[in-house]
Amino acid sequence: MKFTIHPYPGPQKNKKKIEELDRWLQDKLTDDESRIWDRILQESGYINRLYSDLYTDEEYAEANAIDGSRELSAYLLFVEYYLSSLLNSEMGRNDLNYQLGIQSDLGAIPDVNERLLYYGELFDNVCIEIKNALEYIAVYKGHNQICDKIDSKDILRAKGHLLSVMKKKLIDQIVESWQFGDPHFTMVQEVFQCENDIWGRIIRTYWEMRERSTYITSMLAYEQYPIGPKKEELSEFDRTNFILQRQLYADLSDCCCEIVGREGEHITVNIQDLIRAYARLKTICKNHLKTRKIENLNGDMPKVCVQIKKRELMQDFAELGLDDPEGVLRLLTYGKAKDLMDAPLIASGKYYYMVPSLVAELQISEVILSMANGFYFRGKALEHRLFRLLKEENITCGKIKRHESSDTYECDSVFVLEDCLFIVEAKAWGFPSNITQYYHMNKKIIEAGRQINRLYEYIRLHLPEVLGELGLGEDYQISHIYRIILSNFQRADEQELENTFLCDYNSFRGILKGIPSGVLIKEPRNKKLIKIPIDPNRNSKITAETLVHYLQRNELLELTQNILYEKEYCEPLHNLCIKKKYLERKLPLAMVWPQPISSAGSEYGREDTR
C-alpha cells in the first residue's frame, strides 16, 4: 500500500516519520528497491503539490472566509440554486445561470440529446460531490447551524467549496489508482501527467456496465409502474422494489437489514420501510418545488429549501405504518460520515431541512444500492434463479449438502454438460462504489475461491456418489470438473481466479440462452445502442465446449469497450494542471429503438452460434 505524505492543506504531519523511515531504509534496500522507493517518494511529492495547489485557489479561499454561523446555510442554498439552474438548462431555460456563473451557452453542441446528456451527467456528478464539502463544513469545521437569512454574496462565495471538491475527486481517484496499481506520474513544468492508470480504466468500465444494467432495469420498472398523478408514492415504491430485487437478487419483502454506520451506529430497519420513507421525502420536496417562486438570489432559507417541523415529519412517517419510524428518521438524518443523498435530512432546532432539487430528482434504488455493502443479506433469490435457468435448459443439476464428521460441504449448484461437471457458488453482494470497495470485493472473491476449491476436492474424491445423486449412473464418465463463482454484479477485469471462472448472472443466462451478454449493445449497421432481445436465439442445446469458451471471455466487457473511446484532457486546478486519459462513451446512454429490433437481435444470435 502506497501513501501520500500529507494530502491536505497545512503542515506535513507525517513528514518526520517518512524522513526517519527513509534513513532506516538506506542500507537495507538493494539498488533496484532503492529506485522504487525514491520513485514512490517523488510521486508522493507530486500528489501533495496537487492538493496544495487546489486549496490555494482563490474561490476556495473565499468560500472559507464566510462567517461560520452562515457557512452551512450559504452552501445549502448555493447547491439548491446550482441544481435548479442545471435542471433549467435541460429544459432550455437559463434563469439562474448567469448569476451563478454557470456556463449555459452550449451552442457548440448542435444535438439536443447531447446537450441533455451533458447537463444530466453534470447534475449527477454535482449530486455525488455535494457530500464532501458538506462534511468539511458541517462536521470537520463544526459549522452546522442553520441561518434563515443569507446574503446573496455568501451564496455565490459558497461556489468555491463545490468546485474544489469536484476537482479534488479527480486527485483522489488518481491517488486510489496509485495505491492499488502502478500508474506512471511525471511533472513537466506546471503540468502533472498520469499514464498507465489501469485501475482508473477498470473502475470507469465497471461503472459503464453498471449504469447500463441499472438503466435498462429502471426503464423496465417505469414501463411496468408508470408515473401517474395519483398514487405516485406507491408507484415509486413498486419501481424501487422491482429494481432492487433485479440488482441484488434478494427478497426484500421480509428483509430487515442492519445498517452498520461508520461511527459504530447500528440501526436495524426494514428495507421496504426505508423505501417508503424516501418516497414520502420525494413527495414533500416535489410539492415544495411546485409552489416555490424564486425571482432572485434572495437567500431566504425556508423559501428556497424545504423546512419541516420534526414533529410533523415523525407524524408523516407514523402514518406510513413503518415498523420503527424513529430508527428510519435517525438513518435519514445527516451526520458524520454520512452521504447527503443517503441521509438528506439536516436537523437544526425543531426543524429538518432538505435540498429539494436533490431529493426530488434522486432515484431511490441508487441510494439503497449505494448502501448495500452495509446490508446483511444472502442472495437466495440468485440461487433459485440459477436452478430455474438450468432446469429451463434441461440441464442435469442439483445441490450438494454433506456432513462429514465435524465438516459440512454445501454447494449451491452442480450441473453436468456432456462429460463435464460444473460446480457453481452463487454470491449476491452489494455493488462496489469506488476503487477501494472494488479491491475489497476482489478479496471476497478470493475467499469464495477458497470455498469452492474445498468443494472441488471433496467432489473429486466422491464423484461416483455425486453423479448418483444427480440421477446419473456411477459409471458416467466425467473428463473435467470446472468451477464457477456466479455473482450479481459485472466485472471489468479478469474473468478467472486461478482455476475458477468469474461470471455475473446476466451474462451466464445469456450464454445458456444464446442471448448476447449485457443490456445495451451497438447495432452493427447504424452504430446505435439497441435493447437486447430477451427471447432465446439458439435452437440447439449449449455444449460444454461453447460454455467454457464463453466463460473464458468477458463478452459484456468486450461489448462495453466497443462503445468507449480514450480521450485526453487537461484539467486546470489553480496554478497546476492534470493531464490524463480517460474513457468516454461514443454514444449517449439512451434507449434507441431501431426497426426492426427482432432482426438486429437475430443477427447477433446467428453470430453467436457460428
Side-chain angles (χ1 to χ4, degrees):
M1 180 71 74
K2 296 176 188 173
F3 58 90
T4 57
I5 293 173
H6 187 62
Y8 300 98
Q12 294 183 352
K13 61 181 179 182
N14 293 325
K15 185 176 181 181
K16 188 175 179 181
K17 292 180 181 179
I18 299 301
E19 289 173 348
E20 289 174 358
L21 178 60
D22 186 32
R23 286 193 294 272
W24 184 80
L25 288 172
Q26 289 301 322
D27 59 350
K28 295 177 175 61
L29 299 179
T30 65
D31 289 344
D32 287 342
E33 289 169 340
S34 291
R35 280 191 286 271
I36 294 170
W37 171 245
D38 290 342
R39 179 187 157 196
I40 289 173
L41 286 179
Q42 184 182 49
E43 292 176 340
S44 176
Y46 292 158
I47 292 170
N48 283 329
R49 282 192 64 189
L50 293 179
Y51 282 114
S52 298
D53 184 69
L54 175 66
Y55 289 112
T56 55
D57 184 81
E58 288 88 348
E59 281 194 316
Y60 175 74
E62 196 171 347
N64 265 321
I66 301 172
D67 182 270
S69 63
R70 303 199 307 272
E71 191 170 13
L72 177 61
S73 299
Y75 180 70
L76 294 176
L77 286 169
F78 171 76
V79 165
E80 173 54 29
Y81 283 128
Y82 195 96
L83 294 177
S84 298
S85 70
L86 291 175
L87 292 172
N88 283 338
S89 296
E90 285 191 77
M91 296 183 289
R93 300 173 57 219
N94 294 304
D95 309 36
L96 295 170
N97 294 10
Y98 178 75
Q99 296 182 68
L100 294 171
I102 299 172
Q103 180 186 357
S104 58
D105 181 15
L106 289 179
I109 305 178
D111 183 71
V112 64
N113 290 323
E114 287 191 34
R115 289 201 295 274
L116 287 172
L117 177 69
Y118 173 87
Y119 279 118
E121 289 190 344
L122 183 56
F123 185 96
D124 292 342
N125 193 35
V126 169
C127 291
I128 292 168
E129 296 315 310
I130 284 169
K131 61 180 181 180
N132 294 322
L134 184 64
E135 187 173 47
Y136 173 65
I137 295 167
V139 178
Y140 293 105
K141 295 182 76 174
H143 296 163
N144 53 12
Q145 61 265 56
I146 296 291
C147 179
D148 280 353
K149 291 285 186 180
I150 297 296
D151 191 295
S152 60
K153 291 180 181 178
D154 280 345
I155 297 171
L156 292 173
R157 287 193 191 105
K159 180 171 65 171
H161 280 313
L162 185 58
L163 297 182
S164 63
V165 296
M166 291 175 73
K167 291 180 179 179
K168 180 178 178 288
K169 180 185 179 183
L170 178 61
I171 306 174
D172 290 344
Q173 288 175 337
I174 289 172
V175 173
E176 276 194 298
S177 294
W178 182 63
Q179 289 173 331
F180 297 116
D182 194 29
H184 182 61
F185 298 160
T186 57
M187 185 74 81
V188 180
Q189 294 178 339
E190 301 300 296
V191 178
F192 174 91
Q193 298 187 43
C194 175
E195 297 176 1
N196 194 35
D197 183 8
I198 296 171
W199 263 106
R201 294 175 65 89
I202 288 174
I203 293 301
R204 174 67 182 86
T205 310
Y206 159 70
W207 271 104
E208 184 67 30
M209 292 192 286
R210 159 87 187 276
E211 280 190 69
R212 290 162 64 197
S213 175
T214 54
Y215 180 85
I216 190 63
T217 308
S218 300
M219 295 298 290
L220 291 172
Y222 274 92
E223 285 178 15
Q224 192 159 335
Y225 306 101
I227 299 174
K230 295 181 180 179
K231 298 184 178 178
E232 172 53 24
E233 279 187 36
L234 179 59
S235 297
E236 185 84 54
F237 173 83
D238 290 336
R239 284 194 296 270
T240 304
N241 224 28
F242 177 90
I243 294 167
L244 291 175
Q245 288 181 347
R246 289 202 166 212
Q247 292 292 317
L248 291 175
Y249 295 100
D251 182 7
L252 302 182
S253 59
D254 187 28
C255 186
C256 288
C257 299
E258 186 179 43
I259 313 296
V260 182
R262 279 173 276 184
E263 290 183 285
E265 179 187 39
H266 295 254
I267 304 173
T268 302
V269 298
N270 183 301
I271 294 302
Q272 292 190 332
D273 281 356
L274 197 56
I275 298 170
R276 289 187 182 93
Y278 271 118
R280 178 56 53 90
L281 295 184
K282 286 189 71 169
T283 299
I284 292 169
C285 288
K286 285 180 177 178
N287 290 338
H288 172 87
L289 292 172
K290 285 177 185 175
T291 58
R292 182 178 77 178
K293 291 182 180 179
I294 301 176
E295 296 179 357
N296 50 50
L297 298 178
N298 55 37
D300 193 336
M301 187 77 174
K303 287 184 180 179
V304 180
C305 292
V306 170
Q307 181 191 66
I308 184 169
K309 288 183 178 178
K310 292 180 178 178
R311 177 172 44 81
E312 290 178 5
L313 189 57
M314 173 62 81
Q315 186 178 342
D316 244 6
F317 279 8
E319 290 173 359
L320 292 174
L322 309 185
D323 291 342
D324 180 14
E326 287 188 14
V328 172
L329 266 174
R330 281 172 57 207
L331 192 66
L332 294 174
T333 302
Y334 179 78
K336 188 176 180 181
K338 284 189 175 182
D339 186 325
L340 188 61
M341 283 193 285
D342 296 348
L345 295 171
I346 297 174
S348 180
K350 61 182 180 181
Y351 294 105
Y352 286 118
Y353 294 86
M354 285 186 286
V355 178
S357 291
L358 175 70
V359 179
E361 295 294 323
L362 67 78
Q363 187 156 304
I364 300 173
S365 57
E366 284 300 307
V367 175
I368 302 291
L369 286 173
S370 74
M371 303 164 67
N373 273 309
F375 295 171
Y376 292 110
F377 68 91
R378 288 195 64 201
K380 297 297 290 183
L382 183 57
E383 295 175 26
H384 296 326
R385 285 198 181 207
L386 171 62
F387 262 108
R388 285 203 303 270
L389 173 64
L390 294 170
K391 288 175 180 177
E392 281 173 11
E393 297 302 303
N394 296 314
I395 294 173
T396 301
C397 60
K399 299 184 82 166
I400 299 294
K401 188 168 185 177
R402 296 284 186 81
H403 295 284
E404 298 283 340
S405 301
S406 59
D407 292 329
T408 299
Y409 297 87
E410 187 173 1
C411 181
D412 294 335
S413 176
V414 290
F415 66 90
V416 174
L417 276 180
E418 299 166 332
D419 60 348
C420 296
L421 184 140
F422 295 82
I423 310 169
V424 185
E425 274 295 299
K427 299 288 185 183
W429 289 307
F431 287 88
S433 60
N434 53 43
I435 294 174
T436 307
Q437 287 188 9
Y438 197 94
Y439 177 82
H440 290 319
M441 184 59 67
N442 282 352
K443 288 176 65 178
K444 288 185 179 181
I445 289 172
I446 290 169
E447 291 170 7
R450 294 194 187 105
Q451 182 181 345
I452 204 169
N453 285 339
R454 180 173 173 269
L455 287 166
Y456 168 83
E457 291 299 330
Y458 178 84
I459 289 173
R460 186 175 62 83
L461 295 173
H462 299 82
L463 189 56
E465 300 169 38
V466 171
L467 293 174
E469 285 188 29
L470 294 175
L472 301 171
E474 294 188 359
D475 57 347
Y476 192 97
Q477 293 299 308
I478 295 293
S479 64
H480 207 289
I481 302 176
Y482 293 99
R483 286 156 273 193
I484 304 171
I485 296 175
L486 197 68
S487 70
N488 57 322
F489 79 94
Q490 308 85 1
R491 295 190 57 78
D493 51 2
E494 73 277 355
Q495 278 297 98
E496 292 185 52
L497 172 69
E498 295 178 351
N499 46 21
T500 302
F501 295 119
L502 310 174
C503 192
D504 66 280
Y505 175 79
N506 285 330
S507 294
F508 186 76
R509 178 182 179 276
I511 292 165
L512 296 193
K513 293 284 188 184
I515 302 171
S517 301
V519 290
L520 298 177
I521 56 175
K522 192 168 72 170
E523 204 277 333
R525 286 185 296 273
N526 58 24
K527 297 184 179 179
K528 290 186 177 180
L529 294 179
I530 63 172
K531 182 180 177 181
I532 288 180
I534 60 173
D535 297 322
N537 294 320
R538 186 193 295 112
N539 294 322
S540 59
K541 185 178 178 180
I542 189 169
T543 64
E545 182 183 5
T546 305
L547 176 57
V548 171
H549 171 70
Y550 273 98
L551 289 171
Q552 287 171 336
R553 298 170 56 201
N554 189 332
E555 188 186 53
L556 180 58
L557 177 59
E558 291 173 9
L559 287 167
T560 302
Q561 290 176 335
N562 197 31
I563 60 170
L564 296 174
Y565 71 97
E566 198 173 64
K567 184 177 180 179
E568 188 175 79
Y569 73 104
C570 204
E571 177 74 30
L573 296 177
H574 179 212
N575 296 316
L576 301 180
C577 290
I578 297 176
K579 190 176 182 181
K580 191 176 182 294
K581 292 179 180 177
Y582 72 107
L583 296 175
E584 189 172 88
R585 291 191 202 117
K586 295 177 184 176
L587 298 161
L589 188 69
M591 292 301 296
V592 179
W593 297 92
Q595 296 295 331
I597 291 176
S598 57
S599 64
S602 62
E603 183 171 327
Y604 275 95
R606 289 195 300 273
E607 192 174 2
D608 281 342
T609 55
R610 281 199 293 269

